[in-house]
Amino acid sequence: MRLDVNSFLGSYPFRRVPGTSPDALLRAMDRVAVDEAWVSHLPGIFWRDPAAGNPWLYETALRHERLHPVPAVHPGLAGWEQVLSEAKAAGAPALRCDPTFYGIDPVGSEIQSLSRACGAAGMPLVLAVRLEDARQRHPNDRASELPPSAVRTLIRSDPALRLVVTHAERAFVEEVHFGSTPEESGRIWWDICWIWGPPEDHLETLLRTIGSERFVFGTGQPLRLPETSVAKLDLLDLGAEQRAAIESGNASAVTPTLSEAKRSGRSSKQSSAPSLMSG
Amino acid sequence: VATVRNLPNVFVDLSGSGVDGGMLEACLESVGPDRLVWGCDLTIDTGWAKLRYLQHLLGRTELELVSWRNAARIFPPAAFPAD
């Protein structure tokens, strides 16, 4: 079982990217043996109201059993609490918020309110440090990268909050992890897509010093080639149990409710379909 | 790569940390498999990933061009141990 917690659907506003349709994503998943994926609506990240892309995302995920929606929420807009409720009702594995892309303070009162609400609802929050390498971004793509201090501040904002941070490199991970208490760092999971694999020792070192239980498989596709995340695991000398944990097991700890629903044979998608469509 | 599209004596290597979706398609569209050479720089994981992806974009003959035949053609004789 291989689960990609970091993938997108829909066009990217700053350059031509192939493979953005649901069918194309599924073909890419087959190509690299990814069984299931958490998917977000890529263009919505750049919309004034990112949640406007959620209905399409929900409907798409309902049609494709392997795709799990990670809807977006802007905590500075009216109705964000409803977005969280809809995500919960839909059985979404997580909710995403990209404050720097939305133009809001990444540690401001709005996102801290969202953090507390996510903690109370048991809804993990996904944050992307970046989407593309700063060297190649479009001149008008000027959103700041998420700073490590913001992750530390948010994880402290609510004792029940769980964060999944994507597109973070080694230095970012270390700054947050070693600047947090053990209890805090135990509620953060890191996707591996932006961490160097062999022969650089970044991922190997992090797995040893921080612990492999903190890392989840992610690709950033289709903005990035998904082959990269698979290759870096192939190049590491990982035991089968450790690799399985990174590729899917650790994600189950992020979303224990969803995992339990699957184990018991209940389909969160089917049971929540009416509420999805009413949103 | 668009800059070197019409420069037949310029080859493009695929090394580097970038693994952007669409990057390899753009290279192939611009210079074709006859003028691409594989390289990995220090980031072998990205180089290997690009080679894996090329396996899905190219047929066997074209893949051989990119992965070694082009390099064997443009580097001096005996540049590689297998020469």
Side-chain angles (χ1 to χ4, degrees):
Chain A
M1 170 68 177
R2 183 178 287 158
L3 167 67
D4 182 355
V5 304
N6 178 18
S7 61
F8 300 93
L9 290 171
S11 60
Y12 187 57
F14 294 109
R15 64 179 173 88
R16 188 180 63 168
V17 176
T20 58
S21 71
D23 288 341
L25 179 67
L26 289 165
R27 285 195 298 273
M29 290 166 60
D30 289 339
R31 198 177 71 226
V32 294
V34 166
D35 299 286
E36 298 180 17
W38 294 6
V39 292
S40 292
H41 186 248
L42 184 57
I45 293 173
F46 304 91
W47 290 354
R48 183 173 292 277
D49 179 4
N54 293 344
W56 180 87
L57 183 70
Y58 285 135
E59 290 173 16
T60 301
L62 277 173
R63 291 197 301 271
H64 302 282
E65 189 69 23
R66 298 164 65 193
L67 305 181
H68 305 284
V70 175
V73 60
H74 186 314
L77 298 180
W80 68 263
E81 298 94 338
Q82 177 67 20
V83 176
L84 171 59
S85 298
E86 288 170 356
K88 184 81 175 173
L95 193 63
R96 76 173 304 120
C97 179
D98 299 285
T100 59
F101 287 96
Y102 303 166
I104 62 175
D105 185 346
V107 294
S109 59
E110 295 158 330
I111 194 168
Q112 293 208 38
S113 295
L114 172 65
S115 297
R116 288 190 290 274
C118 285
M123 175 63 69
L125 189 61
V126 174
L127 304 166
V129 174
R130 55 176 72 81
L131 295 177
E132 285 202 289
D133 192 312
R135 294 172 295 179
Q136 67 190 48
R137 289 173 65 175
H138 190 284
N140 288 334
D141 180 13
R142 298 175 182 168
S144 302
E145 295 186 347
L146 188 72
S149 57
V151 178
R152 292 205 312 269
T153 299
L154 293 177
I155 200 63
R156 285 176 189 153
S157 68
D158 187 88
L161 177 66
R162 286 165 289 151
L163 294 177
V164 177
V165 183
T166 67
H167 304 81
E169 79 282 9
R170 174 184 174 178
F172 190 110
V173 176
E174 290 178 332
E175 182 173 340
V176 173
H177 182 86
F178 294 112
S180 304
T181 68
E183 189 282 323
E184 291 164 351
S185 59
R187 292 185 281 114
I188 305 174
W189 286 264
W190 303 95
D191 123 77
I192 66 169
C193 87
W194 212 275
I195 303 170
W196 292 123
E200 296 289 344
D201 66 352
H202 292 198
L203 182 55
E204 181 182 17
T205 298
L206 290 175
L207 294 177
R208 186 177 68 252
T209 57
I210 289 177
S212 56
E213 69 275 12
R214 299 261 58 82
F215 293 89
V216 289
F217 180 85
T219 66
Q221 65 174 319
L223 289 174
R224 295 168 63 78
L225 296 180
E227 280 82 356
T228 313
S229 293
V230 180
K232 68 183 70 177
L233 292 181
D234 289 345
L235 288 165
L236 286 173
D237 186 20
L238 297 174
E241 190 173 326
Q242 187 182 26
R243 178 155 180 163
I246 296 168
E247 290 187 323
S248 66
N250 294 340
S252 299
V254 183
T255 57
T257 305
L258 183 71
S259 302
E260 175 56 33
K262 281 191 171 181
R263 278 194 295 273
S264 64
R266 285 180 279 119
S267 169
S268 56
K269 287 184 178 181
Q270 289 172 358
S271 63
S272 60
S275 63
L276 291 180
M277 303 314 292
S278 66
Chain B
V1 289
T3 308
V4 300
R5 179 192 299 266
N6 297 317
L7 301 175
N9 59 333
V10 174
F11 286 68
V12 174
D13 106 300
L14 298 176
S15 70
S17 56
V19 285
D20 309 313
M23 172 187 285
L24 295 180
E25 288 89 340
C27 287
L28 289 167
E29 184 180 312
S30 183
V31 303
D34 292 333
R35 287 165 51 204
L36 284 182
V37 287
W38 182 75
C40 67
D41 203 333
L42 281 175
T43 53
I44 288 177
D45 58 344
T46 59
W48 196 17
K50 281 181 263 195
L51 195 56
R52 286 180 171 185
Y53 185 56
L54 281 173
Q55 292 173 347
H56 297 274
L57 293 181
L58 300 175
R60 180 174 176 171
T61 302
E62 291 180 324
L63 185 64
E64 284 186 350
L65 289 175
V66 178
S67 58
W68 69 275
R69 286 192 186 277
N70 289 338
R73 178 162 53 95
I74 63 173
F75 283 93
F80 301 105
D83 283 347

